Amino acid sequence: MRIAVIGASGRIGREVVDVLKNNGDDVVEITRTAGIDVLTGHGLAAALAGVELVVDAVNAETTDTAAVTEFFRTIARNVQQAAAAAGVRRIAVVSIIGIDAFTAGHYAGKLAHERAYQEGPVPVRILRAAQFHEFTEMVLDWTTAGDRAEIPAYRAQLVAARTVAEHLADLVRTDGPAVVEVAGPQQWRLVDAVARVAARRGKPAQVVEVLDTTDPDHHLQAEGALLPGPGAVIAGPTFEEWLERR
């Protein structure tokens, strides 16, 4: 099949490209470096010519609520319009488990992303994933000051990015529920998983949990809103298995 991957150079996008190419698919990699800008629409129509399926794995560089919401909403509308004109049969979008009640930041942006896609003419399937194993490394980098990292109170059922990519590649090919959840085998307090990353690196010495009251949705994260529901697909590897391979 000829399948376009939006955000093909990103964390999930590059994994999806690899999965599809290993399957023998003809992959169109949609990135700004390839001269295609899904935010402005520049080059998008030409890139989708002859494409049967589209995977949207795009990410945003901002977490400002207004900016990230507009970013994702605009992309969804541009892709829907161009995909309909090109005769695309289906779009699959990666999103995040449990974001329905979130009002701020990246999670609010992804909710707007989902809704804008669902308003368009081309059928859409949404893969809501738990936070990736790789998220722990990012959080450690973001929050370390000196020899201490302060990790927001957060519960998640971490899943490997590769696992998400494999399910996203399958999702775009098949009919089924409009929304599917995928998560890893174990529930974690984020601070505990990040502490294991820090121990493997040998720094920082202190990894502590804090309540980030500047985030209006901090209570949702702390209370488990981002944990999968009972119908979620549960898939390995475990966090420890993933960490051993780093």
Side-chain angles (χ1 to χ4, degrees), residues 2 11 32 52 88 102-103 112 155 209-210 229:
R2 187 169 175 82
R11 183 175 300 277
R32 286 196 300 270
E52 299 173 69
V88 169
F102 282 75
T103 60
R155 291 168 62 200
E209 186 176 81
V210 297

Side-chain angles (χ1 to χ4, degrees), residues 104-129:
H106 184 73
Y107 299 134
K110 287 302 294 182
L111 190 59
H113 199 207
E114 290 184 7
R115 289 173 175 170
Y117 264 118
Q118 291 167 328
E119 292 168 357
V122 179
V124 174
R125 299 194 71 195
I126 296 168
L127 183 65
R128 282 188 162 189

Side-chain angles (χ1 to χ4, degrees), residues 40-140:
T40 65
H42 176 76
L44 185 58
L48 294 185
V51 165
E52 299 173 69
L53 307 170
V54 171
V55 173
D56 185 341
V58 74
N59 204 358
E61 296 177 356
T62 179
T63 58
D64 174 79
T65 301
V68 75
T69 298
E70 185 61 22
F71 174 84
F72 280 123
R73 185 182 288 131
T74 300
I75 286 173
R77 289 171 177 168
N78 287 347
V79 173
Q80 270 284 10
Q81 182 179 13
V88 169
R89 294 192 289 110
R90 184 184 296 111
I91 301 168
V93 183
V94 66
S95 189
I96 305 167
I97 285 173
I99 58 175
D100 301 274
F102 282 75
T103 60
H106 184 73
Y107 299 134
K110 287 302 294 182
L111 190 59
H113 199 207
E114 290 184 7
R115 289 173 175 170
Y117 264 118
Q118 291 167 328
E119 292 168 357
V122 179
V124 174
R125 299 194 71 195
I126 296 168
L127 183 65
R128 282 188 162 189
Q131 287 290 355
F132 310 142
H133 293 330
E134 292 82 354
F135 181 61
T136 57
E137 297 173 318
M138 296 165 61
V139 170
L140 186 60

Side-chain angles (χ1 to χ4, degrees), residues 11 134-145 149 151 194 197 201 203-204:
R11 183 175 300 277
E134 292 82 354
F135 181 61
T136 57
E137 297 173 318
M138 296 165 61
V139 170
L140 186 60
D141 291 338
W142 293 336
T143 62
T144 297
I151 310 302
V194 173
V197 175
R201 290 182 179 182
K203 60 181 182 180

Side-chain angles (χ1 to χ4, degrees), residues 31 39 60 110 122-123 154 182 194 196-197 218-219 229 237 244:
T31 65
L39 186 59
K110 287 302 294 182
V122 179
Y154 194 116
V182 62
V194 173
R196 283 165 169 77
V197 175
H218 68 274
H219 61 289
E244 281 300 313

